[in-house]
Amino acid sequence: MSDLVQLTKDNDVAIITINNPPVNALSPGVPEGIAEAIEQLQKDGDIQAAVLIGGGRTFVAGADIKEFGKMTAGKSRGPGLLPLLLKIEDCRKPLVMAIHGTAFGGGLELAMAGHYRVAVPNAQVGQPEVKLGLIPGAAGTQRLPRLAGVAKAVEMCAEGNPIKAQDALQAGILDRLIDGDLLSGAVAFAREVAGKPAPKTCERKDKLGAPEQNAPIFAAAREAARKKQRGMMAPLAAIDAVEAATKLSFEEGCQIEQKLFLECLFSDQSRALIHVFFGEREVARIPDIPKETSVLPVNNVAIVGAGTMGGGIAMVFANAGIPVLLKEVDRAALDRGLANIQKNYANSVKRGRFTQQYIDERLKLIEPTLSFDGFSGVDMVVEAVFEGMALKKEVFAELDRVCRPGTILATNTSTLSIDEIASATSRLPSVIGTHFFSPANVMRLLEIVRGQATSKEVIATCMQLSKRLGKIGVLVGNCTGFVGNRMFGPYRREAQFLVEEGAGVEAVDKALYDFGMAMGPLATGDLAGLDVGWRIRKEYRHLQKPGIRQPFAEDKLCELGRYGQKTGVGWYKYDEQRRALPDPEVTQLVRKWAAEAGIPQRQISAEEIVDRCLYALVNEGARILEEGYALRGGGPMWYADTVGLKTVYERIREFEKRHDEIWAPAPLLKQLAEQGRAFAEFNKPRTATA
Ligand code: 3H9
């Protein structure tokens, strides 16, 4: 038998254990090992029943995602799960699936092919394939509705969110929860059912519902998928596959599922989402900071500044169960900050994201203060005051005085030099950037900015902390705007230029929304606050090269007090529910300013809008990669690779001819395009980040 699967005996019960760390994925060798174990236990006259369990931290977290790339490249025919699952279901001796950790994707499909399922209370089950642009491909869409009913199966397969063991028990996916030792509980359960006929999930029909009951479920799910997972093909395919389960035989339903699974597997969407899955894990790998690097404890934190960012960051820590001391300079600002936090939490309760009890517990973790008293007792400070170097240095000098040695001193600056901020302290190795994106309690990206002298322990701690906070921590180098805002700058610059050249505000946003962005760039500016960029531009105005075109519309909107959502007007005007409405006044103003600046007005196509905004991102991204401020390329670089770098390069050259040196192609882009290569192949010795 393969090393990945072991067969042992507890008297009359066979125990199959999968040992494929870290998550017992169904990699090559695992399905074969399970099949062999089933054959052996069938032949063994002493065996009356069997248990299948995962070794280590979890049951089976799914098919091996690495195999999908091999399948699309024609190098693998896939894990061959369907025949294995039929073999399990046909086994004459009852087979009990014992679940701890996560039974996800192929893991849940495996479990559902067993005759019974038991789990520890903190286990989770789910069909998360849609998050990879896929649908369950081993009869999950056929067995799940048979166990849990159509509505639950549609929800789980189309949305991809896991459910807890207790809910799974209620839904009929599990047969029993086991308190205490899972294996002993599962073996005892197996003895209870030994000798009885083994129920087959595929033969059940009692939960498949009637067409008139099912039709509204499918219709509502399709509508929700079109809205919430806009443009994604997998959720709709998952709904189609579950619908097939209600209309066709099990075998025919499986065939439909296979066809849809393969369509999704060979799509660009799934390729991109699988890239994201591994990318989000790859970011944890930093060449000069090995996994074993020691980390510092972070059991409590202090935050300086209770504005939009400080308040959001306080919520992030509180949500992770970490007590927060939240400091402001005066009572009014502190009260405003706390009121905002309460309002945000109240909204989450309204939307059903959190319960009132959860919120009450979080709020207890946030202790407001007007002084630095208590800062000597915290493990980490996050500074989130206004974006100005003089102020930041003042705060850090004070932190240096009041914090005990070893406290991590982090700044939430979005653009300023970490090294210069650190120079206000006597402890350069403890200073780091932790740049949260607005709204901090929602956005998943957390840039961790490495200063020249930041210690490896402090970096490793912040990287680990980001996971605890539910963020994707990405280590970046200390350049102006770091990586996120440095790329975002040219993207939003082009959005403004386009409006100044005659494109409508809504036309710019719509083009990028239709492309697939969650929001258009101008609406995003309104959400984050136009004054943030305005303040930063003022700080850096002295660095601007004379004679280079600069966007002016947002600065002028800010001069009129139009900061975006927070003032009720920005690029758009906002109603009570913060819904954006077109504002003809903005159009008139921009046309007037453009005339004053002598900018000729013209019709601009959606294609040009998308190309200019996205290729501005790509061009800047190429510079950042080449300069070593990012360790690896991200989403825009992946997109450029899919378009083909030669095409991207040529289009950028066109823009350069029309708009001058701001569009000069990045040397790395030019080089890769000429060599017929892609950003994914670029692997440069690291400088600023490692
Ligand atoms: C599927 O099953 C299709 C089926 O219908 C069948 C079709 C025929 N494969 O996230 P972590 C790696 S599709 C390969 O840091 P955590 C991961 O890359 C699949 N590798 O830990 C990482 O590697 P490294 C459906 C996988 O504790 C390491 O394991 N299943 C897989 O925060 C640890 O992962 C899913 O979509 C995998 N399936 O979270 C589940 N899963 O250390 C995807 C993980 O080298 N996985 N790895 O960076 C997850 O959601 C989380 O990993 C999990 C653990 C919750 C399991």
Side-chain angles (χ1 to χ4, degrees):
M1 193 171 304
S2 96
D3 297 346
L4 303 170
V5 180
Q6 283 83 43
L7 180 64
T8 52
K9 283 205 240 181
D10 179 337
N11 297 314
D12 54 344
V13 176
I15 299 164
I16 306 170
T17 308
I18 302 176
N19 271 311
N20 183 23
V23 295
N24 290 327
L26 296 166
S27 319
V30 175
E32 294 80 351
I34 299 173
E36 213 180 312
I38 299 282
E39 276 159 27
Q40 284 192 21
L41 72 90
Q42 296 248 60
K43 282 190 234 145
D44 189 333
D46 297 340
I47 294 297
Q48 302 302 317
V51 167
L52 188 150
I53 193 165
R57 70 193 224 205
T58 184
F59 188 72
V60 171
D64 186 338
I65 301 171
K66 288 191 290 295
E67 291 297 306
F68 293 136
K70 295 183 197 155
M71 281 172 78
T72 49
K75 292 186 187 142
S76 156
R77 297 189 53 218
L81 287 180
L82 277 173
L84 168 70
L85 301 193
L86 287 175
K87 185 182 213 124
I88 290 175
E89 214 164 31
D90 285 342
C91 177
R92 290 181 310 279
K93 299 175 184 175
L95 185 52
V96 179
M97 300 290 179
I99 301 169
H100 70 302
T102 48
F104 281 178
L108 178 56
E109 292 172 303
L110 172 69
M112 291 191 295
H115 306 115
Y116 301 95
R117 285 148 297 279
V118 299
V120 292
N122 66 359
Q124 294 191 26
V125 304
Q127 298 285 179
E129 287 88 343
V130 283
K131 304 204 172 181
L132 300 170
L134 296 171
I135 68 165
T141 60
Q142 308 302 301
R143 286 198 178 89
L144 191 54
R146 286 174 160 80
L147 287 178
V150 175
K152 194 78 195 163
V154 165
E155 180 191 316
M156 288 176 67
C157 294
E159 294 175 16
N161 297 323
I163 62 170
K164 298 201 177 94
Q166 183 62 44
D167 298 337
L169 179 71
Q170 238 150 31
I173 300 168
L174 299 177
D175 297 293
R176 184 179 293 174
L177 296 192
I178 306 273
D179 285 316
D181 184 59
L182 175 64
L183 182 58
S184 335
V187 168
F189 186 98
R191 290 206 173 101
E192 283 174 39
V193 294
K196 297 188 185 150
K200 292 187 184 183
T201 308
C202 71
E203 287 177 355
R204 284 184 58 174
K205 290 204 173 75
D206 53 304
K207 287 196 167 180
L208 289 178
E212 59 281 8
Q213 290 168 322
N214 292 337
I217 298 175
F218 294 125
R222 288 192 174 102
E223 197 187 319
R226 287 200 182 97
K227 213 151 73 199
K228 286 199 230 145
Q229 294 144 294
R230 189 169 49 96
M232 303 304 300
M233 60 191 275
L236 294 171
I239 299 166
D240 289 350
V242 177
E243 189 171 25
T246 66
K247 295 191 166 157
L248 304 170
S249 69
F250 180 78
E251 292 70 28
E252 288 165 329
C254 286
Q255 281 165 16
I256 299 280
E257 184 196 77
Q258 269 310 288
K259 181 177 155 286
L260 292 166
F261 173 80
L262 289 173
E263 276 170 25
C264 290
L265 179 66
F266 281 86
S267 71
D268 281 348
Q269 290 186 359
S270 143
R271 276 194 335 130
L273 287 168
I274 289 174
H275 174 74
V276 170
F277 177 85
F278 287 116
E280 285 185 354
R281 283 151 184 87
E282 184 78 12
V283 287
R285 282 187 258 279
I286 303 164
D288 70 330
I289 303 184
K291 261 191 173 162
E292 315 72 67
T293 308
S294 58
V295 293
L296 306 163
V298 180
N299 295 322
N300 54 1
V301 299
I303 294 170
V304 188
T308 312
M309 288 313 291
I313 297 168
M315 291 169 74
V316 171
F317 279 98
N319 292 348
I322 301 172
V324 180
L325 208 52
L326 181 61
K327 183 188 173 302
E328 254 302 346
V329 279
D330 60 47
R331 172 59 56 192
L334 191 56
D335 288 347
R336 246 193 335 268
L338 289 170
N340 264 334
I341 293 175
Q342 271 157 353
K343 199 172 81 195
N344 285 336
Y345 271 140
N347 279 340
S348 329
V349 175
K350 253 192 247 154
R351 283 199 302 269
R353 200 171 150 230
F354 295 138
T355 62
Q356 189 57 47
Q357 188 199 345
Y358 177 91
I359 300 304
D360 294 342
E361 282 163 16
R362 303 303 116 186
L363 283 170
K364 269 191 220 135
L365 289 173
I366 303 176
E367 187 187 333
T369 177
L370 292 173
S371 77
F372 283 103
D373 296 349
F375 273 55
S376 60
V378 299
D379 296 326
M380 177 172 181
V381 180
V382 182
E383 164 278 309
V385 301
F386 274 129
E387 194 73 349
M389 184 54 90
L391 177 60
K392 302 246 177 207
K393 283 171 103 169
E394 215 176 277
V395 171
F396 271 77
E398 187 62 22
L399 293 176
D400 194 33
R401 214 174 52 74
V402 297
C403 294
R404 62 168 185 249
T407 306
I408 298 174
L409 301 184
T411 167
N412 181 54
T413 179
S414 53
T415 47
L416 300 172
S417 164
I418 305 299
D419 294 331
E420 197 178 338
I421 294 174
S423 73
T425 73
S426 60
R427 39 173 113 179
L428 307 189
S430 296
V431 179
I432 192 163
T434 50
H435 175 213
F436 292 81
F437 288 75
S438 181
N441 54 317
V442 177
M443 303 297 279
R444 285 177 74 218
L445 175 60
L446 173 60
E447 275 185 330
I448 294 174
V449 193
R450 177 177 205 163
Q452 285 248 297
T454 310
S455 79
K456 292 185 180 177
E457 286 73 21
V458 167
I459 296 171
T461 305
C462 289
M463 291 299 292
Q464 199 193 61
L465 178 66
S466 62
K467 200 165 175 182
R468 250 170 97 194
L469 298 179
K471 304 284 174 202
I472 306 288
V474 180
L475 185 68
V476 299
N478 181 30
C479 57
T480 307
F482 315 125
V483 172
N485 279 346
R486 184 169 158 190
M487 288 176 77
F488 207 46
Y491 172 70
R492 296 202 67 259
R493 171 199 77 202
E494 287 305 310
Q496 288 190 68
F497 278 171
L498 286 156
V499 175
E500 292 168 12
E501 288 165 31
V505 172
E506 298 98 86
V508 170
D509 277 350
K510 182 174 183 310
L512 287 145
Y513 179 80
D514 288 347
F515 170 79
M517 295 293 186
M519 279 176 102
L522 303 172
T524 307
D526 273 1
L527 175 68
L530 301 181
D531 56 318
V532 180
W534 183 41
R535 230 178 279 277
I536 295 166
R537 282 189 294 277
K538 283 200 257 186
E539 184 93 16
Y540 287 107
R541 195 136 290 161
H542 63 285
L543 297 178
Q544 277 172 10
K545 213 166 141 190
I548 301 285
R549 179 180 171 193
Q550 297 293 340
F552 53 72
E554 281 190 359
D555 289 353
K556 287 185 181 284
L557 289 173
C558 286
E559 282 159 21
L560 295 172
R562 302 186 68 116
Y563 293 177
Q565 289 197 14
K566 62 173 107 165
T567 54
V569 282
W571 283 107
Y572 295 86
K573 54 184 175 191
Y574 293 87
D575 66 10
E576 233 93 282
Q577 277 84 47
R578 292 207 163 185
R579 270 186 309 234
L581 304 167
D583 190 347
E585 196 184 326
V586 171
T587 312
Q588 275 173 15
L589 283 169
V590 178
R591 294 297 152 257
K592 182 171 118 290
W593 296 330
E596 284 163 9
I599 299 175
Q601 302 292 289
R602 62 191 174 91
Q603 287 281 333
I604 300 178
S605 69
E607 189 200 357
E608 178 176 343
I609 293 172
V610 169
D611 282 359
R612 274 178 61 185
C613 291
L614 288 181
Y615 293 170
L617 270 179
V618 171
N619 206 28
E620 194 63 33
R623 288 185 207 282
I624 293 172
L625 263 184
E626 187 168 28
E627 291 163 15
Y629 289 107
L631 285 167
R632 306 168 186 96
M637 317 319 275
W638 169 268
Y639 169 68
D641 281 351
T642 62
V643 173
L645 295 192
K646 191 163 171 291
T647 310
V648 175
Y649 173 68
E650 278 163 8
R651 187 82 165 127
I652 287 181
R653 290 274 308 182
E654 274 174 43
F655 294 147
E656 186 189 18
K657 281 186 201 125
R658 218 182 318 145
H659 303 280
D660 258 343
E661 71 181 79
I662 45 169
W663 272 105
L668 176 64
L669 173 64
K670 178 171 189 285
Q671 181 199 328
L672 293 175
E674 283 171 356
Q675 294 168 346
R677 291 166 66 212
F679 286 120
E681 298 165 51
F682 175 70
N683 216 344
K684 179 182 185 307
R686 309 299 168 190
T687 49
T689 41

